[in-house]
Amino acid sequence: MNKSLLERARAAMPGGVSSPVRAFGSVEGDPPFVARGRGARIWDTTGRGYVDLVGSWGPLILGHTHPAVIDAVVGAASRGLTFGATCPDEVELAEALLARFPCADQLRFVSTGTEAVMSAVRLARGFTGRQRIVKFDGCYHGHADALLVHAGSGLATIGNGAQPSSAGVPACVAELTEVLPLDDEQALDDLFARRGSEIAAVVMEPVPANSGLLLQRPEFLRHVRAVTERHGALLLFDEVISGLRVAPGGACELYSIQPDIVTLGKIIGGGMPVGAYLARAEIMRCVAPLGPVYQAGTLSGNPLAMAAGLATLRELSAPGVYARLESLAARLESGWKTAFAVRGVCANVVRQGSILWICLQPGPAPRAWQQVDKRGAAMYARLHPELLAHGCWMAPSAWEVAFVSTAHDEASIDACVAAMGNALAQVHQVQTARS
Ligand SMILES: *Cc1c(COP(=O)(O)O)cnc(C)c1O
């Protein structure tokens, strides 16, 4: 009877959660339950408020309960939740997205980012008639079997297929996935020299934002484009985070690179479950019902998700939106940098547009996972509960990024800067007392 919500959650669901990182496994303290959000803020079930820098892990570029999005969703809901038939908003959202990604002629909507990448990999294999795919160490592409692999003991396994990074992934599936380090032209060239004709696609986050923020040299991205093209392999840009975040046309626009397939999710659903994969007509013609690559979904193109996505895209096309995000995020970056400097903490704040990462290591920002000093996690584990205590809601993992939304303003950004200063002071005090 008197069990807490946390106890009940943990009894009813593995770890008490529907997605692992929410369990606060790698930071100190228990996860609060979030009761509601508005604009840049959320409140937990005890009534405590926070400035939210997680934004539901990326989708909420307009913040919580944006009136235009809520109106669109309520309007759509009142007309019916799902029909299993194409709806008008679906066509409009498809056109609006294709206008932002000129490398693509057509798209297919799915319900999650995982599904988008999984389907896009199937399409790449169907189109090329090849089986192998390449991914980069540190890039996350959802939890489809073929993409839940890493390089095992570093470079030792390159070229021999990869080790699964989850139990339950068959070795024969993982073997078809090659894992390469980011920022390394030579490793890519070597692999293609040996296996180029077997590779269906290179899958990458052009703005890797799932192992910290590992910003790539544009020359490296251009090299990946050139090598894949030369070998008849497709280049798949997974822009589930970066699409519509780093620029209206995502990393494709930011770096002026035309991949063969783009996957989207998060922002394009405005907070509702959605994903999409986009490609030029020649490739999309392979997708059922036009072609032999099967892919379907009962709730795909869901009217509520389409309405929320469309409303979000409309707001994002207002003049000055990306400039505003840039200036707020720059303010947060410089405020945090000052907070670290004042406390004498060796840390970087890495930023691309409204995506920020607190990188707790000295020296230049890492561009590949093996350059990341994993010891930063211990400091972050102590910092995180203090950030929460000072009203700044950050991801409960050192390897996750922070997102600024259009609902933030100077005051809420400054509150996050102050929270960092206070959190650092607190952690420093405890450290001094311990030693
Ligand atoms: C979040 C994410 C996914 C998976 O999307 P889900 O909707 O969580 O399935 C895939 N790729 C990237 C780059 C992501 O950030």
Side-chain angles (χ1 to χ4, degrees), residues 219-275:
E219 313 88 78
F220 177 67
L221 297 174
R222 283 195 290 270
H223 187 76
V224 178
R225 174 64 286 186
V227 170
T228 46
E229 198 166 302
R230 197 177 316 133
H231 290 267
L234 300 187
L235 176 58
L236 193 168
F237 269 5
D238 181 358
E239 296 226 49
V240 168
I241 285 185
S242 56
L244 292 99
R245 170 68 71 175
V246 299
C252 299
E253 178 181 331
L254 182 68
Y255 296 114
S256 303
I257 293 176
Q258 308 274 297
D260 301 292
I261 308 183
V262 176
T263 51
L264 298 174
K266 297 192 171 125
I267 288 175
I268 67 160
M272 299 291 294
V274 84

Side-chain angles (χ1 to χ4, degrees), residues 112-115 117 140-143 205 210 238 240-241 266 274:
T112 64
T114 293
E115 215 187 334
V117 184
Y140 178 69
H141 303 290
H143 62 86
E205 289 178 81
N210 279 289
D238 181 358
V240 168
I241 285 185
K266 297 192 171 125
V274 84

Side-chain angles (χ1 to χ4, degrees), residues 3 21 54 79 101 110 167 178 181 187 189 238 260 268 270 312 333 364 380 397 405 412 422:
K3 274 197 189 158
V21 71
V54 178
R79 293 188 294 274
F101 290 86
V110 293
E178 307 283 352
D189 291 349
D238 181 358
D260 301 292
I268 67 160
T312 300
E333 176 191 0
Y380 191 83
S397 159
S405 77
S412 51
N422 289 326

Side-chain angles (χ1 to χ4, degrees), residues 131-408:
Q131 293 205 331
R132 265 177 216 287
I133 58 168
V134 179
K135 77 178 281 290
F136 292 94
D137 198 8
C139 285
Y140 178 69
H141 303 290
H143 62 86
D145 281 356
L147 295 153
L148 273 188
V149 291
H150 65 150
S153 51
L155 308 185
T157 57
I158 287 171
N160 302 317
Q163 303 300 309
S165 56
S166 164
V169 174
C172 61
V173 172
E175 271 163 20
L176 292 174
T177 304
E178 307 283 352
V179 182
L180 293 178
L182 285 162
D183 191 43
D184 188 340
E185 280 88 346
Q186 191 64 52
L188 186 80
D189 291 349
D190 290 350
L191 176 63
F192 269 86
R194 276 184 293 118
R195 295 228 147 119
S197 63
E198 300 169 45
I199 294 167
V202 172
V203 182
M204 75 182 308
E205 289 178 81
V207 181
N210 279 289
S211 302
L213 186 59
L214 305 175
L215 297 180
Q216 297 303 291
R217 290 173 291 118
E219 313 88 78
F220 177 67
L221 297 174
R222 283 195 290 270
H223 187 76
V224 178
R225 174 64 286 186
V227 170
T228 46
E229 198 166 302
R230 197 177 316 133
H231 290 267
L234 300 187
L235 176 58
L236 193 168
F237 269 5
D238 181 358
E239 296 226 49
V240 168
I241 285 185
S242 56
L244 292 99
R245 170 68 71 175
V246 299
C252 299
E253 178 181 331
L254 182 68
Y255 296 114
S256 303
I257 293 176
Q258 308 274 297
D260 301 292
I261 308 183
V262 176
T263 51
L264 298 174
K266 297 192 171 125
I267 288 175
I268 67 160
M272 299 291 294
V274 84
Y277 57 100
L278 302 66
R280 61 181 181 272
E282 169 200 17
I283 299 172
M284 291 306 282
R285 263 199 302 273
C286 292
V287 179
L290 300 182
V293 176
Y294 190 72
Q295 188 274 307
T298 302
L299 295 176
S300 294
N302 174 262
L304 272 60
M306 298 296 106
L310 203 49
T312 300
L313 259 65
R314 285 200 186 110
E315 293 300 314
L316 288 178
S317 21
V321 169
Y322 286 88
R324 174 74 178 150
L325 285 169
E326 174 72 27
S327 91
L328 288 170
R331 186 182 182 98
L332 184 55
E333 176 191 0
S334 76
W336 274 350
K337 279 182 172 162
T338 304
F340 286 125
V342 165
R343 289 279 150 200
V345 177
C346 288
N348 278 305
V349 180
V350 184
R351 183 174 73 83
Q352 178 65 60
S354 53
I355 312 174
L356 295 97
W357 177 44
I358 296 168
C359 175
L360 295 168
Q361 70 190 58
R367 288 194 289 250
W369 180 234
Q370 77 270 20
Q371 296 163 7
V372 175
D373 187 343
K374 313 303 184 290
R375 288 173 302 183
M379 164 124 185
Y380 191 83
R382 293 196 306 274
L383 204 52
H384 185 264
E386 297 299 336
L387 286 166
L388 255 52
H390 289 97
C392 178
W393 185 265
M394 296 275 296
S397 159
W399 317 129
E400 301 285 353
V401 294
F403 295 104
V404 170
S405 77
T406 60
H408 288 90

Side-chain angles (χ1 to χ4, degrees), residues 33-66:
F33 285 78
V34 180
R36 65 193 177 89
R38 186 160 199 86
R41 302 180 71 81
I42 56 172
W43 287 265
D44 69 20
T45 47
T46 72
R48 182 191 278 274
Y50 310 84
V51 175
D52 181 12
L53 290 179
V54 178
S56 191
W57 307 89
L60 299 183
I61 195 166
L62 303 180
H64 297 269
T65 61
H66 189 285

